[in-house]
Amino acid sequence: VNDRVFGNPLLEDVFGVEDTRGTSPLEAFLSAVHPEDRPSVVQAIQDSVEAGRPYDIEYRVGSGDATRWILARGNPLQTEAGKTTWLSGVIDYLTARQTAEVERERLHYQIETEREKLWSILANSPAFAAVLVGRDLVYEYANEIYYQTVGHRPVIGLPLLEAVPEIAGQGFVERLHAVMDSGESMAMTEVPVRLQREPDGSIEDRFLTLNFL
């Protein structure tokens, strides 16, 4: 592998490189790859060269409205000693449906990654914290301090009023809905909250500092 790319005119159109007859270095083509995808493309090429295995990768080229998803597939050519001397392959534009699927998977991965980061932050927070979603305020996450505050009871996957029914009529559902509707946070200090922290226990009056985001 000598860091030179050979290709047909289509390759020039895809990557915006003027000469694909072996005079342009690989870096000239990589510069056209979307910055977010470039590391994975470089890694796929390195893995193929070093391990001698085929590569199959989807990534974006261009920027802005000119961004297109492409599918690159190829195989390394190796000597008997196992040294890669050549990478051959083909590139295809993805269809609109395929592009949408790839983009949806990418966004899903980003969302899951950000969610895991948030869970990690909340888990290490010195304050009690929970994440509720939808108009029913279904619990998606609660940290250990939250469980200690409301009593160790199942909450994940349950609506707020089903998980903690004793808070009905205390105004919290209305406040949370107001935050959701307005998009503005709400902070309250020393708010009285009535909680039944034990299954057969009495209702306790507690005073909490609350931040609804």
Side-chain angles (χ1 to χ4, degrees):
V1 180
N2 63 4
D3 192 33
R4 288 295 181 269
V5 178
F6 295 81
N8 61 16
L10 175 60
L11 202 63
E12 299 177 8
D13 294 337
V14 171
F15 291 93
V17 177
E18 295 182 358
D19 192 346
T20 58
R21 293 171 293 180
T23 61
S24 298
L26 178 61
E27 183 59 35
F29 294 85
L30 291 176
S31 63
V33 177
H34 193 285
E36 292 180 3
D37 300 337
R38 200 172 298 150
S40 60
V41 173
V42 172
Q43 189 62 55
I45 294 172
Q46 290 178 344
D47 290 346
S48 184
V49 170
E50 294 173 3
R53 59 170 175 258
Y55 62 90
D56 186 328
I57 186 170
E58 297 167 345
Y59 56 90
R60 290 164 290 175
V61 293
S63 61
D65 294 337
T67 300
R68 295 289 302 274
W69 279 94
I70 63 174
L71 171 63
R73 292 173 174 164
N75 294 280
L77 177 64
Q78 292 189 310
T79 65
E80 293 183 357
K83 179 181 179 181
T84 299
T85 59
W86 185 272
L87 278 178
S88 63
V90 295
I91 290 177
D92 292 313
Y93 281 122
L94 297 181
T95 64
R97 180 184 61 80
Q98 290 172 319
T99 298
E101 290 176 354
V102 171
E103 186 67 14
R104 184 165 55 250
E105 291 176 0
R106 185 181 68 84
L107 290 175
H108 177 73
Y109 174 78
Q110 287 184 335
I111 291 171
E112 289 300 315
T113 299
E114 292 303 317
R115 180 182 286 116
E116 290 176 3
K117 290 180 181 178
L118 175 60
W119 286 185
S120 177
I121 292 171
L122 296 180
N124 293 286
S125 170
F128 67 93
V131 176
L132 300 94
V133 297
R135 298 300 294 184
D136 290 336
L137 303 171
V138 176
Y139 281 92
E140 191 171 85
Y141 175 85
N143 67 2
E144 179 60 27
I145 301 178
Y146 188 91
Y147 281 111
Q148 294 173 7
T149 302
V150 303
H152 286 272
R153 64 179 96 183
V155 298
I156 303 303
L158 297 176
L160 174 61
L161 291 179
E162 183 178 338
V164 193
E166 65 269 25
I167 69 164
Q170 298 188 51
F172 296 108
V173 171
E174 293 77 9
R175 291 184 179 112
L176 287 166
H177 282 166
V179 170
M180 294 174 65
D181 293 339
S182 68
E184 298 180 358
S185 61
M186 182 183 299
M188 297 171 288
T189 58
E190 295 299 309
V191 179
V193 183
R194 307 194 73 207
L195 293 170
Q196 185 179 13
R197 301 181 66 248
E198 299 292 338
D200 298 318
S202 59
I203 297 292
E204 302 178 18
D205 290 321
R206 310 201 69 181
F207 293 87
L208 304 175
T209 296
L210 303 175
N211 287 282
F212 298 150
L213 306 175

